[in-house]
Amino acid sequence: MKQTIERIEQLKKEKDVLVLAHFYVPDEVQAIADHLGDSYALSKIAADAEQSTILFCGVRFMGESAKILSPDKTVLLPDAEADCLMAHMITPEQVLEMKKQYPEAAVVCYINSTSETKAVCDVIVTSANAKKIVESLPNKEICFVPDCNLGRFLAKGMPDKVFHFHDGCCPIHARVRPQDILDAKAAHPEALVCIHPECTEDCVAVSDYAGSTSGIIKFATESDAKEFIIVTEPGVLCELKKRNPDKTFYPLEKLGICEDMKKITLEKVLYTLETFDNQVVMEEKLREDAKSALIRMRELAQ
Ligand code: 13P
Ligand code: SF4
């Protein structure tokens, strides 16, 4: 492993590659990244990067979003098959159907979506900036796609807006039930529950804090509490423990892991740096069509 890491570091420098990693990839991959972050932070870093190449340790929509905003950069994915299950739960045709049904609504699309879907939506959001962006839209009506759980979480805080949802979800976060959280609380009565809003509304209701992965890390780091039950992909525990060596974190076993994020291995990172295989390639028309909704996210999230 030591040799693999040394070679990765050498190739990063030689080939002017910036390595970005999401909090859900394996710990040893997080360790070789130049920047770790949630979907929003990484999309900003990718767009502003000076390096000619970005190696995105995450799932496909993350690499594609980087390519959409930085067409002149080479964007590499360590595993071309690593994909987000939720991204494929809506098609562009279904979005167009919703637009027809609710012509006054703004179509707000979670970044966990395909580029084809982004291309027919008005604005992209991530879990970290969705509240700010949706609140700033002049439209009273909002079509929120594809994640109905994040959508319902947002709608609860915006009673003046009328939301229409698609029925997509993250099958990993959505498998948690309130009883799983109540059982964990009974086992760790001093612990605060931090949950990702991709979990269902009834689970969020029995939790102490709901937010994006970076929101969870910030909350736990700033809190005076010493124990936390973490209801999101357990990859975030690596950063939580690093920043808070004096605190205890309990993953919620029922949630399991995101198999796709775990497809990113050090060996694949090294292979990709050596070969420049698995470049994100996108048709120019699709890239242009998907760009405006991502640019709007960047403007409204400022
Ligand atoms: P973040 O927006 O918190 O990075 O979450 C992305 C994700 O895929 C959650 O399942
Ligand atoms: Fe997609 Fe769920 Fe994996 Fe996040 S955890 S990347 S939403 S499948």
Side-chain angles (χ1 to χ4, degrees):
M1 180 147 119
K2 191 163 164 272
Q3 263 179 339
T4 306
I5 293 170
E6 279 170 7
R7 184 82 184 118
I8 287 173
E9 294 301 339
Q10 188 188 1
L11 286 169
K12 270 161 60 171
K13 277 196 213 108
E14 268 175 36
K15 299 194 175 186
D16 191 31
V17 180
L18 182 73
V19 177
L20 305 181
H22 191 269
F23 293 120
Y24 292 170
V25 300
D27 296 3
E28 61 278 14
V29 177
Q30 294 189 32
I32 55 91
D34 298 304
H35 296 280
L36 261 179
D38 67 2
S39 306
Y40 179 51
L42 294 177
S43 77
K44 273 204 324 196
I45 295 167
D48 300 337
E50 282 167 10
Q51 288 80 352
S52 55
T53 300
I54 293 166
L55 189 142
F56 220 123
C57 300
V59 286
R60 175 159 287 278
F61 77 79
M62 297 178 172
E64 288 193 1
S65 298
K67 185 69 183 175
I68 290 167
L69 291 172
S70 307
D72 297 337
K73 290 192 179 104
T74 301
V75 180
L76 303 168
L77 291 167
D79 187 324
E81 306 286 307
D83 209 345
C84 170
L85 299 170
M86 181 179 354
H88 299 278
M89 290 192 181
I90 192 162
T91 62
E93 291 71 29
Q94 286 172 305
V95 174
L96 295 174
E97 204 43 56
M98 278 181 102
K99 275 186 158 174
K100 225 189 271 169
Q101 204 179 343
Y102 306 109
E104 301 300 317
V107 182
V108 179
C109 180
Y110 194 24
I111 198 165
N112 296 42
S113 51
T114 63
S115 300
E116 287 78 2
T117 296
K118 288 183 177 77
V120 292
C121 293
D122 296 317
V123 62
I124 304 303
V125 297
T126 75
S127 54
N129 61 29
K131 185 174 181 306
K132 184 174 183 184
I133 290 178
V134 178
E135 274 174 350
S136 73
L137 294 173
N139 313 59
K140 185 174 161 63
E141 262 186 283
I142 305 291
C143 286
F144 194 89
V145 301
D147 187 3
C148 65
N149 292 318
L150 177 61
R152 292 207 170 89
F153 172 71
L154 293 169
K156 216 160 180 197
M158 293 179 222
D160 292 346
K161 294 204 188 266
V162 179
F163 278 73
H164 308 289
F165 305 112
H166 179 65
D167 60 3
C169 69
C170 165
I172 296 137
H173 286 80
R175 71 165 70 111
V176 178
R177 293 286 159 262
Q179 192 57 49
D180 303 317
I181 297 175
L182 296 175
D183 290 347
K185 273 178 143 178
H188 309 290
E190 301 297 318
L192 295 183
V193 180
C194 301
I195 192 165
H196 197 286
E198 285 178 11
C199 293
T200 58
E201 210 179 358
D202 49 1
C203 287
V204 172
V206 295
S207 299
D208 298 292
Y209 171 82
S212 70
T213 47
S214 57
I216 289 173
I217 293 167
K218 186 168 185 290
F219 173 83
T221 304
E222 290 174 358
S223 168
D224 290 333
K226 291 284 175 220
E227 294 177 53
F228 301 86
I229 296 160
I230 302 299
V231 193
T232 189
E233 216 277 352
V236 295
L237 268 78
C238 179
E239 186 68 12
L240 280 165
K241 288 179 187 166
K242 197 161 56 178
R243 292 204 202 176
N244 302 282
D246 56 329
K247 295 183 181 176
T248 308
F249 300 97
Y250 307 104
L252 195 89
E253 302 294 341
K254 174 73 176 292
L255 193 133
I257 57 165
C258 178
E259 303 275 358
D260 280 83
M261 288 282 193
K262 301 305 189 217
K263 284 179 182 166
I264 313 300
T265 62
L266 278 182
E267 290 66 31
K268 289 179 192 170
V269 169
L270 177 55
Y271 174 83
T272 309
L273 283 170
E274 275 170 343
T275 60
F276 269 40
D277 272 359
N278 296 337
Q279 295 191 18
V280 176
V281 185
M282 204 178 292
E283 202 191 303
E284 188 52 19
K285 163 117 179 49
L286 173 61
R287 196 191 68 75
E288 273 296 332
D289 289 348
K291 191 174 87 178
S292 57
L294 272 167
I295 296 275
R296 201 155 176 223
M297 170 180 84
R298 272 173 67 83
E299 287 166 356
L300 295 177
Q302 287 302 327

